[in-house]
DNA sequence: GTTCTAACA
DNA sequence: TGTTAGCA
């Protein structure tokens, strides 16, 4: 299928799909016309890419993970255990970010709740 | 009309 | 990432 169809079926803009190719997340073949030709599997790939992006992963990491995912599943294939370490690191980074944000929120709430001393 | 690349906002 | 220009 061409980029327009994949875009419609995936709900992802053609601009984004070209970007994913540039980031080597997708490898469509080229027709003699120069048009990209995507496979049915690419539709699943796009869904996974969106899932992984939503999980806060960068395109480089996603490029490594994608080949390790199988069929309709969103889990990792047994073949790439080394990725679990990297993902664990990502998980920890997110946890650290959450902790910082919670701290900031608590501080802000305290500042908001603290009454200004009235002169006198 | 659709897609392509490149470039700008 | 959206949009636009100029092609094929």
């Amino acid at each position: 299928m061409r980029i327009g169809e994949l875009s419609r079926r995936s709900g992802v803009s053609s601009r984004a799909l070209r970007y994913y190719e540039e980031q080597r997340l997708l490898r469509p073949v080229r027709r003699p016309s120069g048009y990209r030709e995507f496979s049915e599997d690419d539709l699943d790939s796009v869904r996974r890419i969106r899932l992984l992006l939503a999980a806060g992963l960068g395109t480089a990491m996603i490029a490594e993970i994608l080949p390790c995912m199988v069929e309709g599943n969103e889990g990792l294939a047994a073949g790439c255990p080394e990725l679990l370490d990297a993902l664990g690191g990502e998980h920890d980074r997110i946890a650290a970010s959450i902790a910082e944000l919670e701290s900031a929120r608590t501080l802000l709430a305290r500042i908001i709740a603290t009454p200004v001393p009235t002169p006198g």
Side-chain angles (χ1 to χ4, degrees):
Chain A
M1 74 188 89
R2 288 178 307 181
I3 197 167
E5 182 180 348
L6 181 58
S7 176
R8 270 188 296 95
R9 291 220 265 159
S10 64
V12 174
S13 70
S14 52
R15 175 73 169 82
L17 294 175
R18 292 191 186 101
Y19 176 70
Y20 296 160
E21 180 195 30
E22 189 179 296
Q23 298 301 304
R24 319 216 128 165
L25 267 31
L26 297 175
R27 327 282 297 209
V29 298
R30 292 299 181 128
R31 290 182 166 185
S33 60
Y35 288 6
R36 295 169 179 78
E37 182 65 25
F38 295 93
S39 66
E40 287 296 320
D41 286 345
D42 286 329
L43 180 56
D44 293 294
S45 291
V46 172
R47 295 188 177 125
R48 288 173 185 147
I49 289 168
R50 301 300 289 207
L51 175 75
L52 295 169
L53 284 174
L57 302 179
T59 54
M61 178 78 354
I62 294 177
E64 293 188 81
I65 297 174
L66 228 41
C68 291
M69 300 182 84
V70 182
E71 299 180 21
N73 203 308
E74 69 175 29
L76 261 50
C80 340
E82 71 282 1
L83 281 177
L84 260 30
D85 283 338
L87 292 179
E90 289 295 325
H91 179 279
D92 291 348
R93 268 189 284 285
I94 291 174
S97 293
I98 290 174
E100 285 187 17
L101 286 170
E102 282 183 336
S103 175
R105 181 182 59 181
T106 300
L107 244 28
L108 199 51
R110 201 175 83 202
I111 291 169
I112 292 171
T114 301
V116 178
T118 344

